[in-house]
Structure formats: structure tokens, C-alpha cells
Amino acid sequence: MPQVLLVANRPDAFEELAQALQNKGTLDVTWAHDEETALEKAAADKPALVIVDDYIGKTTGLEWIQRLMGVNAFIQTAAVSSMTQDAFHEASEGLGIMVQLPPRPGKEEAERILEMLKGLPGM
């Protein structure tokens, strides 16, 4: 079963999203609450998707995704950000982020993610 790694130090903000993704029964959702554990899990488990909070400790999600690219540039990512769409596009250009998510992603975002994942190999 493909794995989704949620990287967040505020899990309460992601609970609805995690439940919605797991309820479909096609994804295994795991968590990491700090940047080093998340990098280790991404390297070892090779998840199909990593969803990253706006901040992980003092590191921005976009900075962490840059580090992830050094571990495995082929892992799909989604990033939480309260930036405008244009500002986010500018800040994340070249990182290959699949989708920008709001600060409290929920069922609607889960459905959008699942639709995007359907088109990927192995899904």
C-alpha cells in the first residue's frame, strides 16, 4: 500500500486530512514531528507523497523540501502555506511541489490529493 508521510509538529491541524486519506483505504498514513525524523523516514520508507507543514520547528516547509530533494528528488510533495498563490509559486519554483495546501487541510484537500495521485505510476 502506498505511503503518505505527514511532516507536522501540529498534528491537530492535520487530523481531518489524515483521516480522510486513510478512510479511502488505499494509502498508509504515517507521521513525523521533526525535520530529522522526517528525512530519515523519507529515505528509508520512500513514501509516494510527503505533506509538509508550513514550519517544522524553526525550518520552513519549503526549506525542508529542499533538503528532501537531496535525499530523494523523486518523492512527490505537498506543502502547507498561507502565502498567496503567486507568492507561493515564486518561493517554491524548482521544488516540484504538487500542491499548495491551506494551514488546516481537510477532506476537500484530501480528495484533491487523491485525484492527483491517481495519475502517478504505482498508484
Side-chain angles (χ1 to χ4, degrees):
M1 182 178 304
Q3 184 183 80
V4 173
L5 175 61
L6 291 173
V7 182
N9 55 0
R10 25 176 225 122
D12 58 312
F14 288 82
E15 198 58 44
E16 185 179 338
L17 176 72
Q19 286 298 319
L21 290 172
Q22 277 189 306
N23 286 343
K24 294 296 180 180
T26 58
L27 297 172
D28 178 29
V29 178
T30 61
W31 293 82
H33 302 294
D34 66 79
E35 57 189 289
E36 293 308 319
T37 302
L39 283 175
E40 290 169 11
K41 282 188 171 201
D45 300 341
K46 296 176 182 61
L49 174 67
V50 177
I51 300 173
V52 183
D53 201 354
D54 203 5
Y55 283 89
I56 305 118
K58 294 181 181 182
T59 302
T60 69
L62 297 180
E63 291 169 337
W64 186 86
I65 289 171
Q66 285 179 314
R67 290 185 61 201
L68 174 65
M69 290 182 71
V71 172
N72 185 338
F74 297 105
I75 295 175
Q76 297 293 321
T77 57
V80 168
S81 177
S82 56
M83 289 185 213
T84 66
Q85 195 171 21
D86 288 340
F88 180 81
H89 178 74
E90 182 74 25
S92 66
E93 193 167 357
L95 296 178
I97 297 171
M98 189 170 76
V99 65
Q100 176 184 2
L101 300 172
R104 293 190 75 85
K107 292 177 186 174
E108 183 178 311
E109 289 77 22
E111 290 297 326
R112 197 166 71 187
I113 288 168
L114 289 168
E115 279 301 311
M116 291 176 166
L117 289 175
K118 281 182 186 177
L120 298 177
M123 298 298 287

